[in-house]
Amino acid sequence: KLERWMNNYKLNKKLLFLYVVCVLLPLIVTDSVVIYIALHTEEVKQQHMMENDVNAVQFSLSNSIESAASVAKAVDTNKCIDNFLNEKYESSLSYFVAYNEAKNLLFNNNIGGDSSRMTIYADNETITNGGEFSRLSSIKDEEWYQYMVQTGCNTCVYTYYDQSRSPVVGAKRKILFLRRMNCYGSGCEKVVKIELDYSALVRGLVKMNYESPIYICSDGKILCSNDGKSSSTGMDFLPFIYEDQVGYEKEMTVYGKTLQIYALKSKANIVDSMLQNAPLILLLVLINAVFPLTFMVAINRSLTTRIRELGQAFESVDQ
């Protein structure tokens, strides 16, 4: 049936059909398969890369928070510091003598020696505000303390934007680790506040040179990122508006705080690579598609010319 169907067409159409079926169609199919495999491989590679980046960020962030938690625990379990905070001082001089001893105790035991800023508050009006120790009454209206009172938490991570005007110089974005000092269950109310170094967290994200844009978010706002735009310490936390670009996400909960870590899809992909190599791809198309077509047309002309000459020869013999 195929032969009878082919007999109804002229030679040039048969050759064109041969070119389409045996050259052009296989070329399209094979190239499509190769492009699909390349795109799929790039997608899988990018997915693994984003997953690794997010896991690395989670590990680094967990270490920073756990480091602050260990410092707060060391302060809470230190009996000498607890006695210092509970003591009622008769004069400023007696307080400063005890203060120097407590301060030396902190640094001699490597408590609070990292880049984070630690402040210990006690409900003791004989304490003078300054250094690592302050009266609890000075921060009872603070947002983070009100959060501890309302939730009743003993340890927590709290993030907020400090809208106060003082200090004028310093990060307004705050990431805090908070712990009530109730290890010995006696004396006045005491709270340890450790402010994580926000700038150091951002520098850590940038320094790691992650392939993907990374965003650490909470409650729909960007806490910090490596994009160089949304981590300014002097401005309020920006909303996260890149949901449609998220390639991989992971949620983590640390001390009552739920955080989302997002990795955005990289803009560089196989399509960009193909566009950069467009001249080479065009050359391959010319070789694989245009050259066989040109060669087929030449063969068609050669065959038809020979057949025409042969027909003329037979006609001359008949005459």
Side-chain angles (χ1 to χ4, degrees):
K1 291 182 180 180
L2 179 62
E3 290 179 359
R4 288 196 300 269
W5 178 73
M6 292 291 295
N7 288 334
N8 297 326
Y9 292 94
K10 295 181 180 180
L11 180 61
N12 57 348
K13 290 188 177 180
K14 292 179 180 179
L15 290 176
L16 180 61
F17 181 76
L18 179 66
Y19 168 76
V20 171
V21 174
C22 298
V23 177
L24 194 59
L25 188 59
L27 181 65
I28 293 174
V29 172
T30 54
D31 286 357
S32 299
V33 171
V34 170
I35 292 174
Y36 170 78
I37 293 174
L39 289 172
H40 181 69
T41 302
E42 180 66 21
E43 183 180 355
V44 171
K45 178 182 176 183
Q46 192 178 84
Q47 191 70 21
H48 284 306
M49 178 191 67
M50 290 187 294
E51 183 177 353
N52 291 336
D53 289 348
V54 168
N55 288 335
V57 171
Q58 181 188 14
F59 178 78
S60 177
L61 185 60
S62 296
N63 277 351
S64 298
I65 295 175
E66 289 299 334
S67 177
S70 64
V71 171
K73 182 179 180 181
V75 172
D76 186 17
T77 56
N78 192 298
K79 184 62 176 176
C80 294
I81 295 177
D82 186 73
N83 292 335
F84 162 73
L85 295 173
N86 289 327
E87 183 71 25
K88 300 297 182 181
Y89 300 97
E90 298 179 354
S91 64
S92 298
L93 178 60
S94 61
Y95 168 74
F96 281 111
V97 171
Y99 167 79
N100 288 328
E101 293 179 358
K103 184 177 180 180
N104 292 333
L105 180 65
L106 287 177
F107 289 103
N108 289 339
N109 289 278
N110 294 322
I111 300 176
D114 58 4
S115 58
S116 302
R117 181 182 177 185
M118 178 179 66
T119 309
I120 304 171
Y121 299 93
D123 192 14
N124 184 348
E125 293 302 316
T126 63
I127 289 177
T128 302
N129 292 337
E132 292 76 19
F133 303 96
S134 292
R135 292 191 295 269
L136 191 65
S137 59
S138 63
I139 50 89
K140 284 196 173 181
D141 294 331
E142 292 287 336
E143 181 179 331
W144 60 266
Y145 180 75
Q146 291 296 321
Y147 174 80
M148 291 191 73
V149 173
Q150 293 171 7
T151 59
C153 64
N154 289 321
T155 56
C156 63
V157 173
Y158 189 75
T159 60
Y160 75 109
Y161 177 74
D162 187 4
Q163 300 185 15
S164 63
R165 295 185 177 181
S166 60
V168 177
V169 179
K172 294 292 186 177
R173 296 184 174 189
K174 306 293 185 181
I175 301 178
L176 308 178
F177 182 85
L178 308 170
R179 180 184 177 111
R180 292 186 182 274
M181 293 180 62
N182 51 14
C183 177
Y184 298 101
S186 61
C188 61
E189 180 185 359
K190 299 174 283 292
V191 175
V192 182
K193 182 191 75 174
I194 299 178
E195 180 181 337
L196 275 65
D197 191 336
Y198 181 84
S199 298
L201 290 175
V202 176
R203 287 196 302 271
L205 284 176
V206 175
K207 190 181 297 183
M208 290 302 293
N209 292 322
Y210 295 114
E211 294 289 337
S212 309
I214 299 294
Y215 292 85
I216 302 174
C217 303
S218 177
D219 300 324
K221 293 187 176 181
I222 303 171
L223 298 184
C224 56
S225 70
N226 62 347
D227 64 357
K229 298 180 293 184
S230 54
S231 295
S232 174
T233 59
M235 60 189 302
D236 199 354
F237 296 110
L238 299 176
F240 182 72
I241 57 175
Y242 309 107
E243 289 85 356
D244 57 334
Q245 302 178 34
V246 174
Y248 187 80
E249 63 180 282
K250 194 169 188 178
E251 187 173 278
M252 60 180 292
T253 302
V254 284
Y255 297 97
K257 187 67 174 178
T258 301
L259 303 173
Q260 295 82 32
I261 305 175
Y262 300 106
L264 303 190
K265 297 175 183 177
S266 178
K267 294 181 180 180
N269 51 38
I270 191 66
V271 176
D272 296 331
S273 179
M274 290 175 64
L275 292 176
Q276 293 175 0
N277 295 285
L280 178 60
I281 295 174
L282 181 60
L283 177 62
L284 293 176
V285 170
L286 291 175
I287 294 175
N288 293 328
V290 178
F291 178 72
L293 178 61
T294 304
F295 189 68
M296 186 206 68
V297 171
I299 293 177
N300 180 42
R301 288 180 179 178
S302 176
L303 287 174
T304 53
T305 300
R306 294 291 181 89
I307 292 173
R308 190 179 299 112
E309 292 176 353
L310 186 60
Q312 293 173 357
F314 280 122
E315 290 178 359
S316 62
V317 170
D318 293 337
Q319 292 176 358

